[in-house]
Amino acid sequence: MAFDTPNSYRNLVIYEVYVRNHGPNGSFADVEADLPRLRDMGVDVVWFMPIHPIGQLNKKGSLGCPYSIADYRAVNPEYGTKADFAHLIEAAHALGLKVMIDVVYNHTAHDSVLVGDHPNWYHQDASGKPVTTVPDWSDVIDLKHPNEELVAYLIETLQQWAEFGVDGFRCDVASLLPLDFWLRARAAVAQVKPGVIWLAESVHAAWVAHRRAAGLSGLSDSELYQAFDLTYDYDIWPIWQAAVVGQAPVIRYLEMLRFQDAIYPHNFVKMRCVENHDQLRIQRLAPSPNQALAWTAFQAFHHGPFLIYGGQEAGATHTPSLFDIDKVEWGDLPLQPFLTTLARLKKHPALTTGKYVLTSAEPAIQAAWQGAHANLFGLFNVMAATGAVAVPLPDGDYADLLSGAAISVRGGQVSLPAAAVILAYAEPLPLQPFHSPLLDFHLPA
């Protein structure tokens, strides 16, 4: 990386909010009232999906998509006023929370305030009409780089939001913009507010290849790490999804995790999650509720910040629509204690200062964090296996940090949990990464 990303970013807990569907009124005030609960869950950063006015021309659904933005410098009146958002930020800061907003600089709404005055800022067809380079995105039109006037406007906008109090930017489809823009934007924001968190929505590897073949911008994750602190896990997301539903062996996904360790900068930070606003809820994707919990626990235990998507603590199976009012059904928050425990474990000394090793893929994922003063071992039954499994822990009785239940290791074996267990142990062990037929293959000399 071209800068020093704080090590603490690897242990952040980020909570994604869609204001429209979060509370009864879909307002900033609703989210502000919920901030103490999020703080108590162990959340560090509250990420707001786009807070700006939504375009109405060629909109999708009854209200339009928040990623079809009409004015980057205003807030959606549906949510409240700019003063309301400022009050929310102040309340978050008072609770020790940081606020991140979505930055959508690849495209705007068809009726953006920029269209009339600056048509040359857009991709255009042969007749001069602004167009999108992604046909499925019919409700937006694409900004076109390089353009110095456009760059100056966008960077000034980022500076304004940083001075307003925003602590981080989640940059939508960051791979589709030029690297030079992001480098300049980051440097300019640092001049008005150092320490802003930069999260890139890096895109699927297949899409990077497609964009490049079409002569369009398509940045790899490695390129993005020159300007960003964090990137998405989409480079290997399809393999993870295939492993979850049983269409790829789990070991293939773990091999790709090891591959990430080898191809990115030594201090790379990947945001880990099991769901977000663009993906199926894990409770719907996974074959069983316990497997959903096992995968959730593994992603939280793995290295990198952990994302909780609003409604995940309710055990939601439905991903809310982006285009209409589609409220989260909160119920009695059955998974909130589980997610709270995972969030708090992100700050365990083993995870903050230790070294991480993946030791086994089958019949369940095994991983450990080992540090100078603390060690944690995780067993994640993502394949719903039964029986006992060999583990590297000394025989003895342990307490599961997820449930508090007593766990016995006898003869080097432990009964497989329904979902997952995380155990603390005294002394570091001589652990080695699991053997990978793909990564560790060598022909005989």
Side-chain angles (χ1 to χ4, degrees):
M1 295 181 181
F3 43 85
D4 292 326
T5 294
N7 286 335
S8 61
Y9 286 10
R10 296 170 180 246
N11 300 89
L12 291 173
V13 177
I14 304 172
Y15 188 96
E16 181 183 2
V17 169
Y18 186 12
V19 177
R20 175 186 287 168
N21 292 325
H22 190 81
N25 305 299
S27 66
F28 291 134
D30 286 347
V31 180
E32 183 176 331
D34 200 28
L35 291 178
R37 180 183 70 87
L38 301 184
R39 186 270 316 273
D40 292 345
M41 281 183 66
V43 170
D44 300 298
V45 180
V46 182
W47 154 31
F48 288 84
M49 291 168 60
I51 58 169
H52 310 296
I54 295 171
Q56 297 301 294
L57 181 62
N58 299 323
K59 68 181 178 183
K60 292 184 177 181
S62 63
L63 295 175
C65 178
Y67 290 89
S68 177
I69 294 172
D71 186 350
Y72 291 131
R73 298 184 175 183
V75 301
N76 187 349
E78 177 188 345
Y79 300 163
T81 66
K82 209 166 184 178
D84 293 331
F85 188 53
H87 194 272
L88 187 158
I89 293 174
E90 183 180 353
H93 289 168
L95 292 168
L97 297 168
K98 294 183 180 296
V99 172
M100 176 182 287
I101 64 170
D102 235 307
V103 170
V104 188
Y105 281 179
N106 176 70
H107 47 263
T108 74
H110 287 261
D111 48 355
S112 163
V113 296
L114 303 179
V115 176
D117 294 336
H118 304 285
N120 62 313
W121 289 6
Y122 290 86
H123 283 267
Q124 300 176 351
D125 63 15
S127 67
K129 178 183 177 182
V131 295
T132 176
T133 62
V134 184
D136 287 345
W137 297 353
S138 60
D139 58 338
V140 299
I141 47 179
D142 284 12
L143 295 166
K144 187 174 182 179
H145 292 267
N147 183 306
E148 281 301 312
E149 289 184 341
L150 170 61
V151 167
Y153 179 87
L154 296 178
I155 288 177
E156 185 180 90
T157 304
L158 288 168
Q159 289 177 315
Q160 289 179 9
W161 283 113
E163 292 176 315
F164 191 78
V166 167
D167 307 295
F169 298 117
R170 178 269 187 191
C171 300
D172 189 64
V173 290
S175 305
L176 276 55
L177 279 77
L179 178 61
D180 179 68
F181 169 76
W182 293 124
L183 290 168
R184 292 173 61 181
R186 180 173 184 130
V189 169
Q191 292 176 358
V192 301
K193 185 173 184 176
V196 169
I197 303 170
W198 290 82
L199 165 62
E201 185 198 20
S202 49
V203 302
H204 295 61
W207 200 15
V208 173
H210 168 76
R211 295 279 297 188
R212 289 175 172 178
L216 299 167
S217 177
L219 299 177
S220 69
D221 289 42
S222 292
E223 291 171 299
L224 287 169
Y225 277 125
Q226 297 179 57
F228 286 86
D229 299 302
L230 290 65
T231 69
Y232 266 46
D233 213 8
Y234 279 175
D235 53 334
I236 60 174
W237 188 265
I239 299 173
W240 174 74
Q241 287 184 315
V244 172
V245 300
Q247 295 183 11
V250 171
I251 193 172
R252 182 171 298 172
Y253 172 61
L254 298 194
E255 285 171 334
M256 296 311 298
L257 290 175
R258 283 187 57 192
F259 194 57
Q260 284 181 335
D261 289 335
I263 64 173
Y264 295 133
H266 71 93
N267 59 336
F268 82 97
V269 185
K270 280 281 181 187
M271 184 179 74
R272 311 293 181 178
C273 66
V274 291
E275 59 186 58
N276 61 51
H277 69 269
D278 282 324
Q279 305 296 334
L280 288 174
R281 296 279 194 182
I282 188 62
Q283 292 290 339
R284 180 176 292 274
L285 178 67
S288 72
N290 280 332
Q291 286 169 280
L293 295 180
W295 277 115
T296 302
F298 174 66
Q299 295 292 13
F301 191 74
H302 195 50
H303 64 73
F306 178 53
L307 174 71
I308 300 171
Y309 176 39
Q312 192 171 345
E313 63 269 53
T317 60
H318 170 65
T319 303
S321 168
L322 292 180
F323 317 122
D324 303 284
I325 294 175
D326 190 7
K327 301 291 188 184
V328 172
E329 295 182 6
W330 296 99
D332 59 357
L333 304 175
L335 296 185
Q336 182 163 304
F338 176 73
L339 290 170
T340 298
T341 300
L342 292 176
R344 290 176 177 169
L345 280 172
K346 291 300 290 185
K347 304 302 189 292
H348 190 281
L351 272 73
T352 57
T353 63
K355 293 184 178 180
Y356 181 69
V357 58
L358 283 163
T359 63
S360 182
E362 297 176 353
I365 297 174
Q366 297 185 37
W369 284 94
Q370 298 195 136
H373 306 291
N375 309 285
L376 292 182
F377 171 82
L379 180 63
F380 308 94
N381 194 1
V382 298
M383 290 178 280
T386 58
V389 63
V391 295
L393 297 176
D395 283 7
D397 297 319
Y398 300 81
D400 175 21
L401 299 183
L402 293 179
S403 67
I407 304 294
S408 295
V409 177
R410 296 290 183 269
Q413 292 196 322
V414 66
S415 296
L416 281 163
V421 296
I422 295 176
L423 312 176
Y425 57 97
E427 298 296 331
L429 301 167
L431 301 177
Q432 297 295 324
F434 69 93
H435 175 72
S436 163
L438 295 180
L439 298 179
D440 301 324
F441 176 77
H442 295 284
L443 287 171

